[in-house]
Amino acid sequence: MTLLRERRPCLVLTGAGVSTESGIPDFRSPSGIWADFDPLEYATVDAFRADPVKVWRFYGPRFSMLIEAQPNPAHLALAELERIGLVETIVTQNIDLLHVRAGSRDVIEVHGSIRSATCPGCGRSYALPDLLRLLNGSPAPACPECGAVLKPDVVFFGELLPEDAIDRAFELARKAELLLAVGSTLEVYPVAALPLETLRAGGTLAIVNRGPTALDNRASVRIEGSAGPVLTEVAVRLGQAVSA
């Protein structure tokens, strides 16, 4: 908590460990989605191009789960820390929009999000409500204009990250006095390099995670635990301090 009060600006990096507390399964853990499904069949851009209907049969039920999920105490605590001026920006690897729905105003979605889909045929973009309408009762959402199967605006394996998002994330990481990594093993690059940028620029790294991360030995503070309870306590105590 002392770091959050004294080291500003603070950039927060969140991973799947934040969303799992909203009932969203992760992908890479031993019990995650890729333990039962081959990502080469369902999560690469080549797989989508080869058989987009097959990919949507896999993703369709998961889209419904993401839409029904609710922000958990970790999302709400981070939004509160932003509100009271202790967090500047959240960089998230998650695609579920839960940070935005929790009230966070400055969120960089480096892996894209479910908020929209794009037609690979004619380039038309569809917002989430339209995507859900097109997906309802269909194995895959087709573009009303040209009939091509829509691609969700999430980053598949084999695709580059959104250039504007990742460039801004790295710029903020270099300026951050504190990078707080929450719910990420810090193993997936290039996003896992963000804490290294902060450290190289003389900033500080703090980590909240269940289980080890690749950068535990570089962190000034390392808290083992679930994001929700840890961040809620931090937000409550710091909120009281700010209002005192």
Side-chain angles (χ1 to χ4, degrees):
M1 285 183 284
T2 301
L3 287 176
L4 275 168
R5 283 197 305 265
E6 298 179 355
R7 305 284 287 177
R8 304 185 203 175
C10 171
L11 179 66
V12 177
L13 170 62
T14 66
V18 173
S19 291
T20 54
E21 295 179 38
S22 290
I24 298 173
D26 66 8
F27 283 85
R28 291 179 173 82
S29 73
S31 59
I33 291 174
W34 298 144
D36 298 317
F37 296 93
D38 183 354
L40 295 178
E41 287 190 50
Y42 299 101
T44 69
V45 67
D46 288 339
F48 181 84
R49 290 168 179 158
D51 194 342
V53 175
K54 175 182 177 180
V55 171
W56 267 108
R57 285 197 183 103
F58 171 77
Y59 274 106
R62 288 162 179 82
F63 254 64
S64 298
M65 175 182 60
L66 293 176
I67 293 160
E68 293 170 2
Q70 297 298 315
N72 65 56
H75 299 106
L76 298 173
L78 288 172
E80 176 63 11
L81 289 169
E82 181 190 42
R83 188 189 69 79
I84 63 178
L86 298 179
V87 164
E88 179 180 20
T89 303
I90 295 173
V91 176
T92 186
Q93 298 170 278
N94 302 325
I95 63 170
D96 48 40
L97 295 177
L98 291 179
H99 283 300
V100 174
R101 290 172 57 195
S104 292
R105 295 181 296 273
D106 192 2
V107 181
I108 302 174
E109 298 162 329
V110 288
H111 287 169
S113 80
I114 62 171
R115 74 175 65 247
S116 60
T118 300
C119 175
C122 65
R124 183 173 175 178
S125 179
Y126 293 86
L128 182 58
D130 295 323
L131 174 62
L132 294 176
R133 177 176 53 81
L134 294 169
L135 185 58
N136 185 30
S138 172
C143 175
E145 297 295 321
C146 71
V149 174
L150 303 181
K151 180 189 175 297
D153 290 333
V154 300
V155 178
F156 282 57
F157 290 117
E159 289 188 296
L160 296 175
L161 301 188
E163 185 175 356
D164 290 346
I166 196 63
D167 286 351
R168 182 166 180 247
F170 270 88
E171 179 183 359
L172 291 175
R174 287 188 286 269
K175 294 178 179 178
E177 288 292 321
L178 172 65
L179 190 145
L180 172 61
V182 184
S184 175
T185 59
L186 302 176
E187 294 177 337
V188 179
Y189 284 81
V191 178
L194 292 173
L196 298 176
E197 291 293 309
T198 298
L199 291 168
R200 289 190 192 101
T204 301
L205 172 63
I207 296 173
V208 177
N209 196 55
R210 292 182 62 186
T213 81
L215 294 178
D216 284 351
N217 63 338
R218 304 290 302 275
S220 296
V221 173
R222 167 70 168 91
I223 299 175
E224 172 71 27
S226 298
V230 171
L231 294 179
T232 296
E233 182 177 358
V234 169
V236 168
R237 291 192 182 185
L238 291 178
Q240 292 171 344
V242 167
S243 61

